[in-house]
Amino acid sequence: MSEVLDALVIGAGPAGLGVSYFLKQEGRNHQVLDRGRIGETWRTQRWNSFRLNSPTIRSILPGDAYEGPDPWGAITHHEFVAYLEGYAERHCLPVITQTPAIELTKDDGLFRVATARGALLARNVVIATGDQNRQVRPPGSADLPIAIHQVDSSAYRIAADLENGAVLVVGSGQSGGQIAEDLALAGRTVLLATSRNGRWVRHYRGGNTLNWLTLSGFFDVPRRELVLPSGKLQARALAGATHTISLQSLSARGVVLLGRFRGVENGSLIFGDELGDNIRFADEASANAKRLIDEYIDRAGLDAPPAEDDPAEMVEPRLPDPPIRSIDWNASRVRSVVWCTGFTGDFSWVRLPGALNAAGQPVHEDGVGAIPGLFFAGLDFGSTRKSGTIPAIAEEAARLVNRLVGQA
């Protein structure tokens, strides 16, 4: 209680560890607090076959350099957790595990974080828990029959854990597309309620697509230019970790494609008529990404191989005819639903007037909170399109620490 830290970092995931690295470089007395273990979310909210979408060489935290044999590969979440643990140990970062932050308040110019082990005092606080740790389900989920087992993407592990029978996956973003494929490969009957998501091929013109998009500046577009007229942000494109996944390729594996999930009526699951539009939107997003890469290659004068067709994009979609708008869950033997419908942040423990908006989410500008001394790291789309991803950490953590040190 007597020690006042220069900074307290809450969250020992990649964003929090990146901030800690730069705080140590600046010689700042700080601690990193986590509710569980280092990389807890990566341990407990990923399915068994999960691999990182970002290539390994771009999944390295500040101060490290990749020296392995497969720079453009995709590591498992288990490998990434081991990397995070090794990173904290190599750089001697001051991490306190198994200590949830119960309440964050401020008094007499100092932040106070209450924990079960006592309180910590700090001049600055960096909340690095991110805003993707609380699953969101649509209102219609409450109307599903009790006989249907519901699980969020964060709790899905393996197909064998689900009830016998067909599985409905709701949402066709990164989690939905990858989980639908995982279930299909396990021999399950899968129905996929699609959503308006883009798509990127895994490889293009001799390189990793995510790397091409990084080099071209695509991920540097500021948040303000990405906000839709509705005030929301477009969901991230479906990108397979090791290969391209498209709605067409999923249908070729036997996945039944549906429109958007609309709810339950008279014992039936109801779906919209957006399937064709959703397929076209994904196709157009893929074509636009390729066009940006082509323009970058031309602009930079690079000698890259010519464009090639991706098998996942060339296969003809197998669509229900007529389109399916309702399903009798009992007759269809749908026994499980996997919700892949997005996340939000849990900041209920932050008791600082003005720190959160009406929806309970951070009020900030590029990670700098509305309250002096309060910062947020790892927010999805927090500053740019890249924010919230591992490749953004080195740049954004350095910037936040510079602001923290500059105002200290």
Side-chain angles (χ1 to χ4, degrees):
M1 286 290 293
S2 60
E3 181 184 26
V4 177
L5 299 168
D6 292 326
L8 178 62
V9 181
I10 301 176
L17 296 180
V19 169
S20 178
Y21 171 83
F22 287 112
L23 286 170
K24 185 174 182 182
Q25 295 298 303
E26 292 288 341
R28 301 293 162 156
N29 180 26
H30 73 285
Q31 295 284 347
V32 182
L33 200 66
D34 199 276
R35 61 184 172 86
R37 300 157 290 180
I38 290 175
E40 185 68 24
T41 298
W42 292 89
R43 299 172 187 265
T44 60
Q45 295 188 12
R46 303 293 187 272
W47 56 93
N48 288 10
S49 64
F50 181 93
R51 289 179 178 270
L52 273 65
N53 284 334
S54 54
T56 308
I57 196 170
R58 291 201 176 276
S59 302
I60 299 300
L61 297 186
D64 276 7
Y66 180 74
E67 299 177 350
D70 188 18
W72 303 110
I75 62 174
T76 69
H77 60 297
H78 301 295
E79 292 171 320
F80 188 58
V81 167
Y83 169 69
L84 294 179
E85 290 181 318
Y87 180 84
E89 182 178 356
R90 284 194 310 278
H91 296 286
C92 301
L93 303 181
V95 179
I96 303 173
T97 58
Q98 306 295 342
T99 309
I102 298 173
E103 183 180 61
L104 171 62
T105 57
K106 190 175 186 181
D107 188 40
D108 292 332
L110 292 177
F111 291 97
R112 182 182 186 275
V113 176
T115 77
R117 301 184 182 185
L120 294 168
L121 300 177
R123 298 180 183 87
N124 301 277
V125 167
V126 181
I127 298 178
T129 57
D131 56 354
Q132 301 289 292
N133 52 21
R134 184 171 64 186
Q135 190 96 27
V136 174
R137 293 184 183 181
S141 64
D143 299 326
L144 263 65
I146 194 170
I148 295 182
H149 175 63
Q150 301 185 53
V151 62
D152 296 316
S153 62
S154 58
Y156 171 76
R157 295 293 177 271
I158 191 172
D161 291 342
L162 302 182
E163 304 292 323
N164 290 329
V167 183
L168 170 64
V169 178
V170 181
S172 57
Q174 292 188 8
S175 295
Q178 293 182 22
I179 288 175
E181 184 179 69
D182 188 67
L183 289 164
L185 290 173
R188 300 299 294 265
T189 298
V190 184
L191 300 91
L192 177 61
T194 60
S195 46
R196 188 177 173 85
N197 288 90
R199 179 186 70 247
W200 296 330
V201 295
R202 180 64 180 175
H203 295 96
Y204 183 66
R205 298 199 63 178
N208 179 282
T209 295
L210 291 176
N211 187 56
W212 279 129
L213 292 174
T214 299
L215 295 173
S216 70
F218 174 81
F219 288 118
D220 297 325
V221 175
R223 174 190 173 90
R224 62 181 177 274
E225 296 182 20
L226 303 172
V227 178
L228 301 172
S230 64
K232 297 181 179 180
L233 291 161
Q234 176 64 51
R236 295 193 185 277
L238 170 57
T242 60
H243 58 276
T244 302
I245 299 175
S246 68
L247 295 180
Q248 296 93 309
S249 69
L250 290 174
S251 73
R253 292 188 184 279
V255 175
V256 179
L257 300 182
L258 309 167
R260 180 182 178 186
F261 174 73
R262 295 291 183 179
V264 180
E265 292 181 8
N266 301 320
S268 293
L269 308 175
I270 306 301
F271 303 91
D273 61 357
E274 309 90 349
L275 177 56
D277 290 339
N278 290 341
I279 292 175
R280 283 189 292 273
F281 183 83
D283 289 345
E284 291 168 2
S286 178
N288 287 337
K290 293 176 182 178
R291 177 180 52 80
L292 289 172
I293 293 170
D294 292 338
E295 291 174 353
Y296 168 73
I297 290 173
D298 290 343
R299 187 168 64 249
L302 301 177
D303 183 19
E308 65 280 351
D309 292 330
D310 190 300
E313 295 190 319
M314 301 306 295
V315 62
E316 286 293 323
R318 300 179 183 178
L319 306 182
D321 186 16
I324 299 174
R325 298 294 301 278
S326 68
I327 294 176
D328 183 313
W329 69 270
N330 198 24
S332 66
R333 298 193 70 247
V334 172
R335 293 295 178 267
S336 301
V337 174
V338 183
W339 298 104
C340 303
T341 45
F343 293 83
T344 187
D346 182 3
F347 301 96
S348 58
W349 50 276
V350 177
R351 309 293 171 77
L352 299 169
L356 307 176
N357 61 23
Q361 300 303 295
V363 177
H364 72 99
E365 183 68 33
D366 292 335
V368 180
I371 295 175
L374 181 65
F375 303 86
F376 296 90
L379 297 178
D380 202 38
F381 293 99
S383 298
T384 67
R385 184 181 269 124
K386 184 167 57 178
S387 298
T389 68
I390 300 167
I393 290 172
E395 175 186 334
E396 295 189 358
R399 185 176 68 242
L400 283 184
V401 171
N402 284 338
R403 284 292 299 270
L404 186 155
V405 171
Q407 70 180 32

